[in-house]
Amino acid sequence: MSTADLSPTPTVARPRFAFIDLARGIALLAMFVFHFTYDLAYFELIDVDTPLEPGWHWFARSIAASFLTLVGVSLVLATRYGVNRQVHLNRHAYLKRLAMVAGAAALVTVGTWFAMPDSFIFFGILHQVALASVVALPFLWLPTLAVALAALIVFAVPNLAAHPVLDQSWLLWLGLAREVPASADFVPLFPWFGWVLTGIVLARLALPRLAQSRLASWRPRALPARVVVWGGRNSLLVYLLHQPLFIGALVLATQFAIARPSDERPFMQSCERSCMQEAHDAGACRAHCGCTVDAIKREDLWRKVLENALSPEERSRVSTLAKACFR
């Protein structure tokens, strides 16, 4: 097993390339944009359907592809070459990183199971990274051309494989089912593992040349660049923390928000239209309806109005509030 030795070797470690951490940090920034927009839409603060709108859909896919490509690059960077040009991988560092990613993936599954049981994350980006880190190991010892061909096959498989047996729930992680399962983040083995293999190919082709360039010795000096590079170097920690922070901030913001225009607009339009049909002035109707909305919110009935879930007594109360505003 000499060509697949995972034990530490007495070779000189390759330097850490800051520009790789920078690339990973930029991918994190893009992910922040997508997730924060998703959260704003979830809290109904903006009218954007991020999972379905084509632009946001492809933006999310490009972010996932960039992360997985960097996984392949990192696997190449983690390998070392001994004096006989055989590939070695530091087993301790590799297993430690794998355990961290797998544990984080399990944490995401458990957390989303309780937070969103109808669309919990059973195989998202972290699950893909953990599995790909294992499945990709044999490819580190294959010729670059063979890895490139394997990547093309992985990308093509979902379009070629279609069979009812692949629709079984326990096989959904493969990504070969005929229907995409409901999940807030679904990054199955096929075709996404193809991006990890692509990263291996790109790293083998580009890194030997880049290692001799000025880019290899680049280090961030400006504070923004240092922050981005730090985030890229600690991407797992940043990934786990960013969504709880975003959601917590939005929960606090909505608690102190006085008005939510996206919620008010349909009600205001209907109210003003009804008021003006009774030959009232448009300005007066606007003021009357605005007063009614404020009064309903003070009575903590606004959510029920939006959901059309008012009881007869509450409907009577809303009518009384509207009449009081009109007077």
Side-chain angles (χ1 to χ4, degrees):
M1 192 175 173
S2 62
T3 60
D5 185 11
L6 297 182
S7 62
T9 64
T11 56
V12 178
R14 293 179 182 176
R16 187 180 188 102
F17 294 132
F19 69 87
I20 298 294
D21 292 325
L22 179 66
R24 194 178 293 109
I26 292 172
L28 282 172
L29 292 177
M31 182 187 68
F32 292 168
V33 172
F34 178 81
H35 281 171
F36 192 64
T37 305
Y38 182 96
D39 295 340
L40 288 172
Y42 181 83
F43 281 90
E44 299 180 355
L45 297 174
I46 60 173
D47 187 17
V48 176
D49 194 345
T50 48
L52 296 180
E53 289 192 5
W56 286 106
H57 173 76
W58 287 107
F59 182 50
R61 292 176 72 88
S62 66
I63 296 170
S66 65
F67 273 118
L68 294 174
T69 301
L70 289 169
V71 169
V73 173
S74 298
L75 285 171
V76 173
L77 287 173
T79 57
R80 303 291 183 263
Y81 292 89
V83 294
N84 57 358
R85 302 302 297 167
Q86 293 175 348
V87 181
H88 300 272
L89 191 67
N90 188 312
R91 178 168 57 188
H92 180 266
Y94 167 80
L95 292 177
K96 179 181 177 181
R97 181 67 177 177
L98 179 62
M100 291 173 60
V101 175
L107 184 64
V108 168
T109 295
V110 173
T112 55
W113 170 268
F114 288 102
M116 47 180 72
D118 293 334
S119 58
F120 77 100
I121 301 173
F122 65 92
F123 205 88
I125 186 70
L126 290 182
H127 304 74
Q128 171 68 252
V129 170
L131 179 61
S133 297
V134 176
V135 177
L137 287 181
F139 293 92
L140 294 175
W141 287 272
L142 291 179
T144 302
L145 180 59
V147 179
L149 291 175
L152 292 176
I153 292 172
V154 172
F155 284 130
V157 163
N159 297 320
L160 302 175
H163 194 279
V165 72
L166 298 174
D167 293 336
Q168 303 296 320
S169 59
W170 63 279
L171 291 175
L172 291 177
W173 61 275
L174 290 173
L176 301 177
R178 290 173 293 182
E179 293 186 7
V180 178
S183 178
D185 183 29
F186 184 52
V187 189
L189 182 64
F190 296 97
W192 291 100
F193 180 60
W195 289 108
V196 178
L197 297 178
T198 300
I200 293 175
V201 173
L202 292 176
R204 286 183 177 179
L205 296 176
L207 288 180
R209 295 176 176 84
L210 292 176
Q212 308 302 322
S213 69
R214 295 178 60 183
L215 187 60
S217 59
W218 175 83
R219 295 295 181 270
R221 294 183 180 180
L223 180 60
R226 294 204 303 269
V227 171
V228 174
V229 168
W230 180 90
R233 188 177 297 121
N234 300 274
S235 56
L236 182 59
L237 175 65
V238 174
Y239 181 88
L240 291 176
L241 292 180
H242 82 283
Q243 273 292 62
L245 291 175
F246 284 173
I247 293 173
L250 288 175
V251 168
L252 290 176
T254 55
Q255 292 296 320
F256 292 100
I258 298 175
R260 299 174 67 178
S262 62
D263 285 346
E264 293 178 9
R265 193 176 301 114
F267 181 93
M268 288 288 291
Q269 290 175 345
S270 175
C271 177
E272 290 176 18
R273 190 181 304 113
S274 176
C275 175
M276 292 176 65
Q277 287 178 349
E278 299 179 8
H280 295 296
D281 177 74
C285 288
R286 191 175 301 110
H288 156 64
C289 294
C291 171
T292 303
V293 168
D294 293 340
I296 292 172
K297 289 186 175 184
R298 284 196 300 271
E299 296 285 326
D300 199 23
L301 295 174
W302 182 243
R303 178 55 56 186
K304 289 189 175 183
V305 169
L306 294 178
E307 296 174 354
N308 195 26
L310 293 171
S311 67
E313 293 80 8
E314 289 168 337
R315 290 183 183 279
S316 176
R317 178 58 181 162
V318 168
S319 178
T320 300
L321 292 173
K323 292 178 181 178
C325 281
F326 189 75
R327 288 197 298 270

